Amino acid sequence: GESVGLHLPTLSVQEGDNSIINCAYSNSASDYFIWYKQESGKGPQFIIDIRSNMDKRQGQRVTVLLNKTVKHLSLQIAATQPGDSAVYFCAENTAGANSKLTFGKGITLSVRP
Amino acid sequence: DAEITQSPRHKITETGRQVTLACHQTWNHNNMFWYRQDLGHGLRLIHYSYGVQDTNKGEVSDGYSVSRSNTEDLPLTLESAASSQTSVYFCASSETSGGSDTQYFGPGTRLTVL
């Protein structure tokens, strides 16, 4: 089927290594950020979120870092597994935007066995 | 378990035909959204709704319409399908803003307009 990962930047990592996926967001007024994972043929799946009053948030094997000074968001995946192969994209919600999200174009993560 | 579903999952239609894509969520979320996803463009917002009888245009609304007659459903209608509307369509829902604006997505509908 069609791959939404085509034409997107690709990050290739070795299985077991840590992955860092970066996102530059656009609006300094954004106060809520989300990382989504999208596997081929499926809808985007929520991974982790962070509010602008935080710099770091940890989940299971994932950590999100927020640097508001440079408007940068990163997703760290520990001990990357083949099942982590997917397109990852960030989304931002701007205060006052009434629940609408602005999505980045995404990065393809490819895990080498 | 609560969920969001879309139907059909795949649809092939001809130029000029009217097509309706269904979206149904059982989370009792007030907010519902329709996006299209194309290579090189990411997710683009078509229409959205904050509650029953409320609908709003997104950035790529031309040629599409929605209606919200109940909380659970937001059908998307292509009035006269065009080849440029060949895409993968995703529906999403979220709670009323008050803490979390996380949108939860359905599995998508792949639409081909010939």
Side-chain angles (χ1 to χ4, degrees), chain A residues 3-10 105-106 108, chain B residues 38-41:
Chain A
S3 168
V4 296
L6 289 176
H7 306 164
L8 294 175
T10 300
K105 288 193 168 47
T108 300
Chain B
D38 305 286
L39 293 175
H41 288 281

Side-chain angles (χ1 to χ4, degrees), chain A residues 76-92:
Chain A
Q76 299 178 0
I77 304 174
T80 311
Q81 302 169 359
D84 295 325
S85 294
V87 174
Y88 290 81
F89 50 91
C90 61
E92 60 184 294

Side-chain angles (χ1 to χ4, degrees), chain A:
Chain A
E2 178 183 345
S3 168
V4 296
L6 289 176
H7 306 164
L8 294 175
T10 300
L11 174 66
S12 180
V13 298
Q14 189 72 38
E15 182 179 356
D17 287 352
N18 296 334
S19 302
I20 300 176
I21 302 171
N22 296 307
C23 175
Y25 62 92
S26 57
N27 194 331
S28 57
S30 294
D31 62 354
Y32 179 66
F33 305 87
I34 308 169
W35 278 101
Y36 285 93
K37 172 186 180 182
Q38 187 175 22
E39 297 174 279
S40 182
K42 297 184 178 180
Q45 178 185 6
F46 170 84
I47 301 174
I48 192 168
D49 59 1
I50 188 169
R51 296 211 169 271
S52 59
N53 60 354
M54 302 172 69
D55 297 322
K56 178 180 179 179
R57 191 167 187 217
Q58 288 185 293
Q60 190 173 26
R61 272 202 316 118
V62 295
T63 301
V64 56
L65 299 176
L66 176 63
N67 186 330
K68 296 181 286 295
T69 302
V70 294
K71 293 190 289 186
H72 184 267
L73 192 68
S74 68
L75 177 71
Q76 299 178 0
I77 304 174
T80 311
Q81 302 169 359
D84 295 325
S85 294
V87 174
Y88 290 81
F89 50 91
C90 61
E92 60 184 294
N93 172 243
T94 303
N98 293 328
S99 301
K100 287 195 293 181
L101 296 175
T102 301
F103 293 87
K105 288 193 168 47
I107 295 171
T108 300
L109 177 65
S110 176
V111 182
R112 303 188 303 272

Side-chain angles (χ1 to χ4, degrees), chain B residues 18-74:
Chain B
Q18 183 181 78
V19 176
T20 296
L21 309 182
C23 175
H24 179 82
Q25 53 96 5
T26 58
W27 280 305
N28 202 37
H29 284 168
N30 283 319
N31 304 332
M32 296 185 72
F33 307 83
W34 272 105
Y35 296 89
R36 60 179 289 174
Q37 187 175 44
D38 305 286
L39 293 175
H41 288 281
L43 286 162
R44 291 185 290 175
L45 183 63
I46 305 172
H47 281 285
Y48 57 102
S49 169
Y50 293 136
V52 176
Q53 302 302 329
D54 176 74
T55 61
N56 305 279
K57 293 181 178 180
E59 62 179 297
V60 290
S61 61
D62 287 349
Y64 304 94
S65 63
V66 292
S67 60
R68 188 86 180 272
S69 59
N70 58 55
T71 300
E72 295 80 16
D73 299 289
L74 186 71

